[in-house]
Amino acid sequence: MRLPAVSGITPVSLDSVERTTAELHAHMARLRGPDAARDLGLEAAAVQSAEIAHEQKAGLLALVQHRDADPALLIAGIVPVDGPLDESAAAGLGHFVADRTPGIREVSSARTGRGYPVVIVERIGLSGAQLQAVVLDPDRPRAAVFTLHSPGGRGWLEVAALAGTLVAGVDLTPAEPRATVRR
């Protein structure tokens, strides 16, 4: 999976849980100011996200920031799936999620900039706002799953738009093997 660089999305290292947590805390310390109390939920979410990212072998953990919004956390990774992944699979996934998940505010489907089908699920509740985007790979039995979480929820549309820009540019084609240079 290749992702575009998006201003406002700062990836952190996934070398170890400790390093991931330390980098997230460093980024959050930089953000702290007079509104530090609002960051308590983000700090707890950061520690949880670091642990989850490593448990699930995520390919991305990032802090998403916009000047008019509370910071949010983004986790992304590739998951294997069964069956063909086309428009009907996207529609079926959207209906399944909408029918079986409490608190869902909106389920929609679209296509990324590269034409991959994507199902987008938004949930807003007491624990903040969450958006999941599942990008289906029609050429392989897998999907890229992006989860954005804002514990505070202020400026949700702004951080969701940044995450949307990242998802729209995802490239699921296999990476070309690097050429070996012999001396």
Side-chain angles (χ1 to χ4, degrees), residues 23 26 28 36 48 63 94 97-98 110 123 140 154 177 180 182:
E23 281 190 33
M28 290 185 311
Q48 238 181 1
L63 190 64
V97 170
R123 178 185 329 189
R140 285 165 284 299
R154 182 182 67 84
T180 304
R182 295 184 184 228

Side-chain angles (χ1 to χ4, degrees), residues 56 61-62 73-77 130-133 145-149 163:
Q56 296 181 357
L61 177 59
L73 292 163
L74 178 66
I75 298 176
Q130 185 179 53
L131 178 96
Q132 284 194 306
V145 179
F146 296 83
T147 303
L148 178 70
H149 178 72

